Amino acid sequence: MIFERKRPKVRYFAYAILLLLCFLLQVTPGVLELWGVKPILVVPAAVCIAMEEPVLPASVFGMAAGLLWDFTAGTVFGYHALLWLLFCAAVSLSVTFYLSRHWFNRFLLCFGALLLDGVIKTAFSALIWQEPGTWSFWMSQLLPAAGYTVFWCFP
C-alpha cells in the first residue's frame, strides 16, 4: 500500500515494460502459437492493469496496448487504440463502482471486451466495407484467438 502511494512512476514503468514484453511475445513467430492461432497478449495485460488503476492511467495503458496491437493488426492505425482506451476506461469504472477484483471478473471483462472488439470489427468489415468472408472469420480466427487470449488472464 505504501509502495503504491509513494511511487506510482515505478509502477507505471513496470506496467509499460510488461506491455512491451507481452507485445514482443505476441509478435514473435512460432512462440505461443497453437493450431495457427496466436494470443493477443497485450489485451489481458491491459485489462489487468485497468482493474487495478484509476480511470486515467487505465485509459492511457489501454491506448498504449491498442497502439501496440495496431502495429501488427493490419487495420486502420489507431482503431484498436481508440477502442481499448474506451474499453479500459469502462473496465476501470466498472471495477471501481460495481465489480470486485476477482479472477472470474477479469476473465469475463477480457472476454467481453474481445468479443465487443470483434463485433465492431465485423460490423465495419462486413457492413461498411463489404469484404467477403468476414462472417467465417469469426469461427476460424476471432473466437479461437479470443479463447486463447482469455486463457492468459489467469496468470
Side-chain angles (χ1 to χ4, degrees):
M1 192 70 131
I2 295 171
F3 177 74
E4 292 179 8
R5 291 184 186 201
K6 290 193 176 197
R7 302 200 182 197
K9 291 179 184 175
V10 173
R11 189 176 63 241
Y12 295 156
F13 181 73
Y15 288 156
I17 296 298
L18 174 72
L19 278 178
L20 285 175
L21 287 175
C22 288
F23 176 70
L24 288 175
L25 280 174
Q26 175 180 322
V27 299
T28 304
V31 175
L32 303 175
E33 190 168 338
L34 192 62
W35 294 297
V37 176
K38 292 186 67 119
I40 305 155
L41 294 177
V42 293
V43 169
V47 169
C48 291
I49 291 169
M51 287 185 76
E52 298 296 327
E53 293 297 325
V55 178
L56 183 63
S59 300
V60 169
F61 281 107
M63 182 182 67
L67 282 173
L68 289 173
W69 191 4
D70 279 333
F71 285 135
T72 59
T75 59
V76 176
F77 191 74
Y79 167 78
H80 289 106
L82 178 64
L83 280 181
W84 284 97
L85 180 138
L86 296 173
F87 289 161
C88 286
V91 165
S92 178
L93 286 172
S94 66
V95 168
T96 301
F97 293 112
Y98 300 114
L99 299 174
S100 64
R101 290 178 176 94
H102 193 261
W103 66 268
F104 190 69
N105 290 336
R106 187 180 315 138
F107 168 78
L108 288 179
L109 289 170
C110 186
F111 193 68
L114 278 169
L115 286 183
L116 189 57
D117 180 78
V119 166
I120 294 170
K121 189 182 302 182
T122 303
F124 275 114
S125 297
L127 302 176
I128 295 175
W129 295 316
Q130 297 179 353
E131 293 179 4
T134 309
W135 300 106
S136 64
F137 174 73
W138 269 83
M139 296 307 285
S140 64
Q141 290 293 322
L142 188 79
L143 288 178
Y148 191 29
T149 300
V150 168
F151 171 75
W152 290 95
C153 280
F154 291 112

